[in-house]
Amino acid sequence: MEETIAAPSMSLWDLCLQGGWTMIPLALLLLLCIYVFVERAIAISRASHEDENFMKRIRGYLHEGETESALNLCYATPTPYARLIAKGISRIGRPMNDVLVAIENTGNLEIATLSRGLPWLATTAAGAPMIGFLGTVIGMVEAFYAIAQAGSSATIDSFASGIYAALVTTVAGLIVGIIALFAYNFLVARINKIMNRLEARTMDFMDLLNEPAA
């Protein structure tokens, strides 16, 4: 009976080491991607909380002429839509168009704040695969150069080992890029929901200003 020879195993760490120096920026991009995603996910989750009675209380205060109480309620509610309404209340008495413009500008600033860090995710999603390809090309050049130097003594084993080592960076770059892409799209979808909610609250507030006092 012929004895089977087990193929040598390689750990994930050893495989990463085969990628060379290009694995370092990929690792840094992965850590940055994780940090931005977790930090922004927490911030967006806090911003998405909404008190269902908030607008009812604002309506009651404004109908009773208690503008200061309405502002205090907004200041005590640390959410984007509360800051939006606070800006609108502070502009009461001015033309409706001025009130609307002030609210829209505040909403744009809130969305920009929530979107902070997302360009890093987008850049990582596009750049990580390119860095991986760069590492592969560099590895291929080195492998072919080594084969050319070896001349007739070059073997298929040395050629194959150089190729798979070079391809490691492509795999790593694609993995980092895919993670960043999914993280980016997830956060953008959450921010879009908040943006739609802000637009709805803006319309509610503008309708409130046009309501006759009880």
Side-chain angles (χ1 to χ4, degrees):
M1 180 181 298
E2 295 183 357
E3 183 180 356
T4 59
I5 301 176
S9 60
M10 178 177 293
S11 66
L12 180 61
W13 175 252
D14 293 333
L15 190 63
C16 291
L17 291 178
Q18 295 293 326
W21 65 267
T22 51
M23 297 295 289
I24 297 177
L26 289 176
L28 294 177
L29 287 176
L30 178 60
L31 293 177
L32 177 64
C33 175
I34 294 174
Y35 170 78
V36 171
F37 175 76
V38 173
E39 191 271 336
R40 285 294 88 193
I42 294 175
I44 292 171
S45 177
R46 291 174 178 173
S48 63
H49 291 308
E50 185 175 12
D51 184 0
E52 296 180 356
N53 296 321
F54 177 81
M55 288 304 299
K56 294 180 181 179
R57 297 176 64 184
I58 292 293
R59 178 178 286 104
Y61 285 138
L62 293 183
H63 282 175
E64 294 172 4
E66 300 181 8
T67 305
E68 193 66 26
S69 298
L71 278 175
N72 290 334
L73 176 60
C74 293
Y75 295 149
T77 308
T79 56
Y81 68 87
R83 290 187 286 271
L84 207 72
I85 300 302
K87 178 62 68 173
I89 294 174
S90 67
R91 294 295 190 272
I92 289 179
R94 298 187 180 183
M96 295 294 289
N97 186 60
D98 292 348
V99 177
L100 181 59
V101 169
I103 293 177
E104 290 178 346
N105 290 337
T106 302
N108 292 334
L109 292 175
E110 292 292 337
I111 295 300
T113 300
L114 291 176
S115 301
R116 184 179 57 199
L118 265 63
W120 283 106
L121 291 180
T123 301
T124 300
M130 300 304 295
I131 294 176
F133 293 148
L134 174 62
T136 296
V137 172
I138 293 175
M140 295 286 288
V141 171
E142 292 176 348
F144 280 107
Y145 179 78
I147 292 173
Q149 292 295 106
S152 59
S153 61
T155 62
I156 188 63
D157 293 335
S158 61
F159 179 77
S161 62
I163 296 300
Y164 88 77
L167 291 175
V168 167
T169 58
T170 295
V171 175
L174 289 174
I175 291 175
V176 174
I178 290 172
I179 292 175
L181 179 62
F182 277 91
Y184 175 81
N185 287 333
F186 175 81
L187 294 179
V188 167
R190 295 290 302 276
I191 291 176
N192 286 338
K193 288 183 179 180
I194 295 177
M195 183 169 60
N196 293 335
R197 187 176 300 173
L198 292 179
E199 292 176 352
R201 293 297 166 266
T202 299
M203 294 299 101
D204 291 342
F205 181 76
M206 298 305 295
D207 292 340
L208 174 59
L209 294 183
N210 291 320
E211 290 179 1

